[in-house]
Amino acid sequence: MTGCVNQALPRIDHMFDIAPTAFIVLWVIGFILSVLSLAFTHRQQQKLRRHAATLRRDLYVDLMQLGPVICVFSYLSMVFPRAIYLFDTAQAVVEARALFDFGMLIINYLAGENVHDPRDARARASAILSKQAPARYLLVPPIGCFCVCVPIFRTKFVFDEDVVRFVTKLMKQFIVVAPAVSVAKLWIELQGPDNSLVENSTSLMIVGTLGLISALLAVWGLFII
């Protein structure tokens, strides 16, 4: 853990020195909320697993992990403030996966209940969507709003399997880019005094911009659906 912490951040004993009573209260409340979140989620997941195994059930189970993960990692960031960037990186991985699962859940609702394979879900969803009249599906926020004058964005087309596959790729790229951006930010932050403040700020700005573009593309994919 030593290589994954920022020595410039305060240790837990420093937090006690600054405001011992407030920190103890927050520590206890955070611990209780984390335990309750884990217990509630585990209980609901157990209920879901009693149902027949389908893609929709598995997506529900995966999505339910987002709340406890955010709660637990936020609590650990308070207990181990020097490792906050490490916990943020782990949280970003789960959040990226949750966004993709949410998109797949939308596709699954279009496909129907008894679907076990994501490819079958995409095929069934495209079969339903392709029956609709051609439309300008790409002119949706947040990307489409800035591309009104681009001819391909103004083109009407049928929502076939190729479009569903394109939307899936838009969401899937976020699973790769978001963790990579978080790891890059972690590495930059851990450089600390070794790099100048300007160099670190520039690197963080570039990496942050890439992460923002990736997130916009993923959300755009959700809106297209």
Side-chain angles (χ1 to χ4, degrees):
M1 179 73 76
T2 305
C4 296
V5 299
N6 191 330
Q7 301 297 329
L9 293 174
R11 297 198 309 267
I12 188 171
D13 55 336
H14 295 161
M15 305 291 288
F16 274 108
D17 293 339
I18 296 173
T21 303
F23 187 77
I24 291 175
V25 171
L26 290 175
W27 190 87
V28 173
I29 293 176
F31 179 79
I32 294 175
L33 291 176
S34 298
V35 172
L36 290 176
S37 178
L38 288 170
F40 176 78
T41 302
H42 177 72
R43 179 183 177 185
Q44 296 302 316
Q45 287 180 332
Q46 290 299 106
K47 290 182 178 180
L48 284 173
R49 289 193 174 96
R50 296 193 188 105
H51 295 274
T54 61
L55 179 60
R56 185 179 302 183
R57 190 205 69 171
D58 295 339
L59 291 172
Y60 279 142
V61 172
D62 289 344
L63 283 169
M64 290 185 66
Q65 297 174 1
L66 180 61
V69 166
I70 293 177
C71 186
V72 170
F73 281 135
S74 299
Y75 173 71
L76 292 175
S77 298
M78 180 179 63
V79 177
F80 306 103
R82 286 193 171 186
I84 185 172
Y85 299 120
L86 179 62
F87 296 131
D88 285 347
T89 300
Q91 183 174 319
V93 175
V94 179
E95 290 174 350
R97 178 66 190 185
L99 188 144
F100 176 76
D101 286 342
F102 182 71
M104 291 303 300
L105 185 61
I106 296 176
I107 294 176
N108 181 265
Y109 267 105
L110 293 170
E113 175 67 33
N114 298 319
V115 180
H116 301 274
D117 192 296
R119 289 172 293 184
D120 292 340
R122 289 195 297 266
R124 292 190 187 184
S126 62
I128 295 173
L129 293 172
S130 61
K131 297 178 181 178
Q132 300 179 358
R136 297 185 178 95
Y137 292 106
L138 299 183
L139 284 180
V140 294
I143 304 295
C145 300
F146 302 98
C147 304
V148 179
C149 298
V150 180
I152 191 173
F153 281 79
R154 297 179 59 85
T155 303
K156 293 183 179 181
F157 54 87
V158 177
F159 208 117
D160 55 13
E161 190 169 357
D162 290 335
V163 180
V164 176
R165 191 179 296 110
F166 170 70
V167 169
T168 304
K169 289 181 178 179
L170 284 176
M171 296 182 294
K172 189 174 292 185
Q173 58 82 27
F174 189 60
I175 298 179
V176 179
V177 176
V181 166
S182 297
V183 171
K185 286 183 177 180
L186 174 62
W187 182 81
I188 294 171
E189 294 289 352
L190 292 178
Q191 299 305 303
D194 295 338
N195 291 342
S196 66
L197 181 60
V198 176
E199 184 179 350
N200 279 349
S201 300
T202 303
S203 300
L204 286 173
M205 183 179 66
I206 294 173
V207 172
T209 302
L210 292 175
L212 177 61
I213 294 174
S214 176
L216 289 175
L217 289 173
V219 174
W220 183 45
L222 289 177
F223 274 79
I224 291 175
I225 299 177

